[in-house]
Amino acid sequence: MITQKKGEWMELMIPAIWTGLTIQKLLQEVWQAPKGLLHQWRMDKGVKLQNESVPWNTEFQEGQKLQLHLFRHEEYGVEPEFLSIEPIFEDEHLLIVNKPFAMDTHPNQPGQGGTLANGVAFHWQVHGLSTKVRHIHRLDRDTTGGVVFAKHALSGAILDRMLAAREIKRTYHAFVQGLPKQKKGTIHEPIGRDRHHPTRRRVSDRGDHAITHYKVIETFPKHDLSLLELQLETGRTHQIRVHLSHIGHPIVGDSLYGGQTRRFDRQALHAGRIELVHPFTREALSVDIPWPSDLKILHASLI
């Protein structure tokens, strides 16, 4: 399905599979638009079919043109700031950015600057887009890799729901200490807060359900290190870091969870691929996120 941005409106041609579907069902059941957005569209006639406002119980016919007032003027929610950010994928609905290390995903307190969200706001400002900066997920300050942002309210709602349903697949790469005996495995251990440390988490019987899958990609016996590929079924704070430390293979450089910093001074963890079905075009997206230079140097030093 092809969508087009026409000013503040999105246009798309009704596909054959939507024949007989009503506007109401598309918005409420297929896209599951938030109630506030539905109300807004009703009030300002923000949904049109063939350039006309029609009742929402109108059934679609293949080839008709649907128009939605999606791209409204909004405040960014953060101060635009020129930062060196690296967009990897972008269209009118979403943006995937390669977050560098030593950068928060979003402000953690009022007035905080220098975050990825500040950089995204500036990127959008330069390209004439005025919309709230909506991050769909986040990464730890010193973890690098792909972060998804929604470019309008409906995209944000759909992507949030996809994330909750585990329909956004994120693949991580981590350099860890030791040589795992199993080439692949699953860590199924609950994670809770560490009462003795304000930010650290730990495996705890009373913690939240957490599952991490791992696969050994490469080993470096001379250095007693390995490169793992990891995928999450849950999204707990510090999940990969806690789970790998728990099985005796802490991430290189992760001092909070027992990783040695002699070779690397931050956790050697990178979100290297994002896969999802596009919320509007239904295209299967698989976006690879390049390693930062320090990870490339680390890898070269081990070969």
Side-chain angles (χ1 to χ4, degrees):
M1 189 188 311
I2 298 174
T3 67
Q4 286 187 310
K5 185 175 185 287
K6 298 288 184 70
E8 293 190 354
W9 292 75
M10 178 183 79
E11 293 186 356
L12 61 84
M13 305 302 288
I14 299 300
I17 58 171
W18 286 358
T19 299
L21 192 70
T22 65
I23 294 174
Q24 184 91 18
K25 285 191 174 182
L26 173 66
L27 299 181
Q28 288 190 331
E29 298 178 18
V30 178
W31 284 339
Q32 298 181 40
K35 291 181 179 179
L37 193 55
L38 293 172
H39 177 73
Q40 192 175 52
W41 280 332
R42 285 189 184 277
M43 292 298 100
D44 66 7
K45 301 187 185 302
V47 181
K48 294 181 180 181
L49 191 63
Q50 298 291 91
N51 298 311
E52 294 184 3
S53 296
V54 297
W56 282 18
N57 61 0
T58 301
E59 293 185 352
F60 294 131
Q61 296 178 21
E62 182 182 0
Q64 288 180 316
K65 181 171 62 177
L66 177 68
Q67 296 150 301
L68 288 177
H69 192 195
L70 274 186
F71 307 102
R72 303 170 180 274
H73 174 81
E74 295 179 302
E75 298 297 327
Y76 295 117
V78 296
E79 191 67 28
E81 186 177 347
F82 174 71
L83 298 169
S84 180
I85 68 168
E86 183 184 4
I88 304 299
F89 173 89
E90 183 172 14
D91 66 7
E92 60 264 37
H93 306 292
L94 61 96
L95 167 71
I96 299 177
V97 181
N98 190 358
K99 189 187 84 65
F101 68 90
M103 179 181 285
D104 290 325
T105 300
H106 58 86
N108 295 307
Q109 55 191 16
Q112 179 185 348
T115 75
L116 189 62
N118 296 103
V120 167
F122 183 86
H123 172 74
W124 285 347
Q125 185 180 64
V126 167
H127 291 86
L129 181 65
S130 56
T131 188
K132 182 180 178 182
V133 177
R134 297 173 171 89
H135 66 276
I136 302 304
H137 60 99
R138 60 185 180 183
L139 294 174
D140 293 342
R141 177 179 174 83
D142 284 338
T143 298
T144 58
V147 178
V148 180
F149 289 84
K151 297 182 74 171
H152 53 77
L154 181 58
S155 177
I158 295 173
L159 289 167
D160 280 341
R161 190 172 66 250
M162 290 172 64
L163 185 73
R166 304 299 163 199
E167 293 172 358
I168 299 177
K169 183 178 176 183
R170 290 171 287 166
T171 300
Y172 294 79
H173 301 134
F175 288 88
V176 303
Q177 292 173 203
L179 308 173
K181 294 179 181 178
Q182 294 179 306
K183 292 301 180 183
K184 61 181 179 178
T186 296
I187 308 166
H188 191 164
E189 297 287 351
I191 293 175
R193 290 185 176 273
D194 187 330
R195 292 176 297 171
H196 306 292
H197 195 284
T199 59
R200 191 165 53 205
R201 302 298 197 271
R202 66 184 182 90
V203 167
S204 167
D205 290 339
R206 291 183 290 182
D208 295 320
H209 172 71
I211 300 176
T212 303
H213 304 286
Y214 70 88
K215 180 170 62 175
V216 178
I217 301 300
E218 198 172 356
T219 58
F220 312 98
K222 290 182 180 180
H223 306 280
D224 194 33
L225 298 178
S226 302
L227 172 61
L228 306 186
E229 180 178 279
L230 305 112
Q231 291 175 350
L232 305 180
E233 279 194 31
T234 52
R236 308 303 175 198
T237 299
H238 296 181
Q239 179 173 320
I240 291 175
R241 299 165 66 188
V242 173
H243 272 172
L244 290 177
S245 178
H246 178 72
I247 65 170
H249 298 290
I251 297 174
V252 173
D254 190 0
S255 59
L256 187 62
Y257 293 104
Q260 296 178 4
T261 58
R262 171 178 51 84
R263 186 181 296 275
F264 208 66
D265 61 2
R266 68 170 179 91
Q267 65 257 22
L269 178 63
H270 178 76
R273 186 181 309 118
I274 293 177
E275 297 169 85
L276 70 154
V277 174
H278 193 286
F280 295 99
T281 68
R282 306 311 296 166
E283 175 189 4
L285 297 179
S286 180
V287 181
D288 289 320
I289 318 297
W291 284 4
S293 58
D294 62 347
L295 271 190
K296 292 177 182 177
I297 292 170
L298 172 61
H299 183 242
S301 72
L302 301 177
I303 298 174

